[in-house]
Amino acid sequence: SQCGVKVALPSGAQQCPDSGAGAACSVANQAGAKVSAGTPSTPDGASACAPAAGGAVTSLAACSDAILLSGAPGSSSTDSGQATQQAIQPSDPISTLRPAAYVQRLTLTASAVSLLPHQKVVLTATAGAPVSGTGKAIEIFDETSGTLVGACSEGGQCVVAYSAASGIHKFLAVITPPTTHLPSIRSVISSPEVSVRWAGLRLETSTAVIGPGAAMTVTATSDVSVGGGFLLQLYDADTRVRITYCGHGNTCGASLSQASAGARRIVAAVAKPSDTLPSADAGIQSDPLTLTWVAVTLTASAAYQIGSTVNLSASANADLTNTPWSIGILDEHGHLVGPPCKTGSTCTAQVIQTGGGPGTFSAEIGAIPTTTGAKTIFGRLVQQVAGPTALTNVQAKSPSVKPLRLLWGVDSCKSMTDDPNATTGVYAEIVGILGAPDFWGRYLTKTVCPGISGTEVAAAHGKGMGILPIYNDYNCSNVAGYDTGRQYATEAVGAAQRLGIPQGRGLAIDIEPPGDACPGAANLDTGFIHGWYDGVKTAGYAPIFYGDGTSGSVFATQWCYTVGALPDVAQTSYLWSFQPSLYGGFVRSNAPGFSPNLTGCLGFVHAWQYQLGSMSAIQDVDGDEATSELPLWYP
């Protein structure tokens, strides 16, 4: 194992002698290796000549009036064996002279025959006479890749620079009507062939994207066999740490894997032995190869009510376009809820919120199954029309996600009803004017408000409605000190147990803002918050804090002090923010989007009192929203 990657021999391979662990070597025949086209450019200090007439062929080559001198080597498809003509420097421009008896010739030279990857060679094609005004051009072709390197439609000499990554490239110059395709040399004037070799080094893999823990075989191939103190070495391009190496042959292969998802760039180098990646001028280096061990995540939007749409979005850490893999989003039964996505790194799907909730979802990266499993023509047709129901050869899977449902409710000081069927009282009034609530906030004990009654509990049970239990004290200014918070928690837990509220459900402490009614609320401290948390949590209930969630408020400041010292308080508590408090004629059907003020530190805000009763259609009944993660009590 090197720099977090596990190195092993490729399947069926043998350890290369005098080499690093997991390295397999061989001598590969490069004769049939594919050579990619290089990159032409205008030679340094020169300017590209004008394009051919009509602009059909443009190039980066530079033109000049130089021509072949007498006796210079050259060839022609029509003048073999004939004497060459002495080059003359006339008083008139060369381009105006056309000796009728002159036979054209053409040579091609290269400034170097062996180079390092991406170094430039300068190719110079020189004719016996200018081509200006003849309707022809001097053109230089890379025969190996079949591409035009440079073209000059004027002058007697055409010069172009060219670089390539690797391989032997054969070049040929011709005099031809302007074209981008190499013509038959039997029909044109041509030069002798020139070969230039770039001592290349390639790094390849059969697949560059796979699941965590799976192995990818990478193979470095050099144009020359190593030896004489040089090694063929594989490195992590980012950490520059050597992974393994081969001391023989011109190929070096290794099987690489890592347990966790992530990307890793690998580079090969032919250089003197080194534990760290040498500089580019100390040998030959390949282009980096990126290997990715895939991961996928899934997010889900909240659904506001039954019948609304839940938007699911999956995201992978790699572009899967040119890989065998696709992203799929599945329900809890393992069935795809939308077409798998073969391109890019994201995938979306939509599902409808149902009465029982949308369930859980996950995302996978895997292969789309073929249709060969369908035994009949009809079966194959149905499969093609409907699409696959699952992926195969799964490489990665996200954690399950349960979309949150946004619940609408109210809280009140008043009793909701005196009728176990809830046909009378405030509950019936709320349903008739605002809509049927998903939950109702009520007080646990009698203080300034009556405590919740058994009749109310029975009514909530009959309606399938959740209850948000609230505790407050006669003196809303008394919110300082650990002992006070712990005492309140003891009283709230006792009331909850008498009502039959099971453990795991939430109990909310009412922390009012400082003001004329509660001047001492400005003395709220971390001790009080900690005391309520300890008392409720120790009894097996979930602590909920009702307060001003606005960053910088008294509550938010003390909350942030608390969770800064005790992060567990934030992780296992719930916040119920009463800010911002809105004006307007809100009912269930036009309730605002869930946007409570946030404290600016750790803590989950899962409930929002968005409107006070004095501002709503029914006095003393406040409007609320909560996510389905809030641990409400459903009697």
Side-chain angles (χ1 to χ4, degrees), residues 526 557-570 601-602:
T526 61
T557 299
Q558 296 305 315
W559 170 262
C560 291
Y561 287 156
T562 304
V563 299
L566 302 166
D568 285 350
V569 173
C601 59
L602 292 174

Side-chain angles (χ1 to χ4, degrees), residues 246-306:
C246 292
H248 298 275
N250 68 334
T251 73
C252 188
S255 179
L256 308 181
S257 63
Q258 64 179 38
S260 59
R264 188 179 294 274
R265 296 193 311 141
I266 309 297
V267 65
V270 174
K272 296 288 187 180
S274 175
D275 290 334
T276 57
L277 180 64
S279 60
D281 57 4
I284 305 172
Q285 290 187 15
S286 71
D287 292 329
L289 174 67
T290 299
L291 308 179
T292 303
W293 285 269
V294 289
V296 62
T297 58
L298 182 67
T299 59
S301 67
Y304 284 79
Q305 56 189 355
I306 294 173

Side-chain angles (χ1 to χ4, degrees), residues 16 66 176 250 262 416 424 493 585 592:
C16 184
T176 177
N250 68 334
M416 70 177 79
T424 61
V493 166

Side-chain angles (χ1 to χ4, degrees), residues 33-114:
K34 182 180 179 181
V35 178
S36 300
T39 303
S41 61
T42 304
D44 294 341
S47 299
C49 38
V57 176
T58 60
S59 84
L60 298 173
C63 307
S64 83
D65 286 335
I67 58 173
L68 286 174
L69 298 177
S70 177
S75 70
S76 169
S77 62
T78 60
D79 68 345
S80 178
Q82 297 188 33
T84 60
Q85 178 176 330
Q86 175 69 41
I88 304 171
Q89 298 299 323
S91 57
D92 293 330
I94 292 177
S95 61
T96 65
L97 303 178
R98 290 285 182 272
Y102 188 83
V103 177
Q104 183 64 287
R105 296 173 300 129
L106 187 62
T107 63
L108 179 63
T109 61
S111 61
V113 295
S114 181

